[in-house]
Amino acid sequence: MRLQDELPVDHRLAVVYRYGAALSGLILLVFGILGFADQLAFFDTDGTRVAGLSSNGLLSLISVVFGVLLIVGAVVGGNFASTLNMTVGALFLLSGFVHLAILERSVNILAFRMPNVIFSFVMGLLILTFGMYGRVSGGLPHDNPYWKRRHPERADAERPRPAAGALTAGGPSRAATEAAPSDALPPATAGARRERPARREESGT
């Protein structure tokens, strides 16, 4: 059984993953489009200010690519959107740490400045939180699909059981029928059983 089979499309968690991916993707897409609108140099390490951040043509392209990817994840939804959010969020956090170490250096090909590093950390945490919501926690409710997947035996034990003596596809069980007293039988059946000894006595006399 695959994990995505445990997450119905209409589950409330899927709504969080979908809207989280759409919101994050839209922010990145707008930032990238603004960079293209300013016709930024592709590998300009000095960068140009866009929406309060430093950017160049390469960073604008990467922002558009990740923005479109997150929007696609929002359209697909479900477990795919959750996994995609966690992956992209982790990449943003990693990018923040890497660019923090290479600020003001020639290898800083994305023209990052300190506001970009802060944005990368904040955006990464936001996207990661959307992806991990209801999925990575020690106190998940027992109706959570991920909890059920990790604890199949307990989930099966807590599943509602049919009431005793419930009808099956073929009618009442054989054991229940045999165990039923004669008083519980329909009047016609009970009367037929009482008439049998009387007929035997008449045939014997």
Side-chain angles (χ1 to χ4, degrees):
M1 180 180 294
R2 296 178 300 175
L3 187 58
Q4 54 264 37
D5 296 334
E6 293 294 317
L7 185 62
V9 176
D10 60 347
H11 196 279
R12 62 182 180 275
L13 294 177
V15 177
V16 177
Y17 304 147
R18 187 185 296 272
Y19 282 96
L23 175 62
S24 304
L26 184 60
I27 293 174
L28 294 176
L29 187 60
V30 170
F31 176 73
I33 291 175
L34 289 176
F36 281 125
D38 287 346
Q39 299 181 347
L40 304 180
F42 209 74
F43 292 106
D44 179 19
T45 56
D46 292 332
T48 301
R49 200 169 188 82
V50 176
L53 301 175
S54 176
S55 184
N56 60 13
L58 181 58
L59 182 58
S60 299
L61 176 62
I62 293 175
S63 299
V64 169
V65 170
F66 276 98
V68 171
L69 185 61
L70 287 171
I71 292 175
V72 170
V75 173
V76 176
N79 195 58
F80 175 79
S82 170
T83 304
L84 180 63
N85 285 343
M86 289 194 295
T87 303
V88 174
L91 289 176
F92 267 72
L93 290 178
L94 178 62
S95 174
F97 283 113
V98 171
H99 285 91
L100 184 61
I102 64 174
L103 285 177
E104 306 296 338
R105 296 186 182 182
S106 58
V107 293
N108 184 15
I109 60 175
L110 297 182
F112 260 56
R113 296 292 180 265
M114 185 54 69
N116 297 68
V117 173
I118 297 175
F119 175 81
S120 186
F121 282 137
V122 172
M123 199 68 185
L125 287 174
L126 178 65
I127 301 174
L128 191 63
T129 301
F130 278 128
M132 296 172 62
Y133 179 80
R135 182 172 181 176
V136 181
S137 174
L140 298 177
H142 291 190
D143 64 340
N144 183 288
Y146 296 106
W147 184 91
K148 293 180 181 179
R149 182 67 178 84
R150 296 167 192 165
H151 307 85
E153 296 179 357
R154 292 180 61 185
D156 184 67
E158 295 180 3
R159 187 176 304 165
R161 303 293 181 182
L167 296 178
T168 61
S173 62
R174 182 177 179 182
T177 304
E178 293 177 352
S182 59
D183 294 341
L185 295 175
T189 306
R193 287 191 175 183
R194 285 193 294 268
E195 291 176 359
R196 288 176 185 173
R199 291 180 179 178
R200 290 178 182 175
E201 293 176 359
E202 291 177 359
S203 61
T205 54

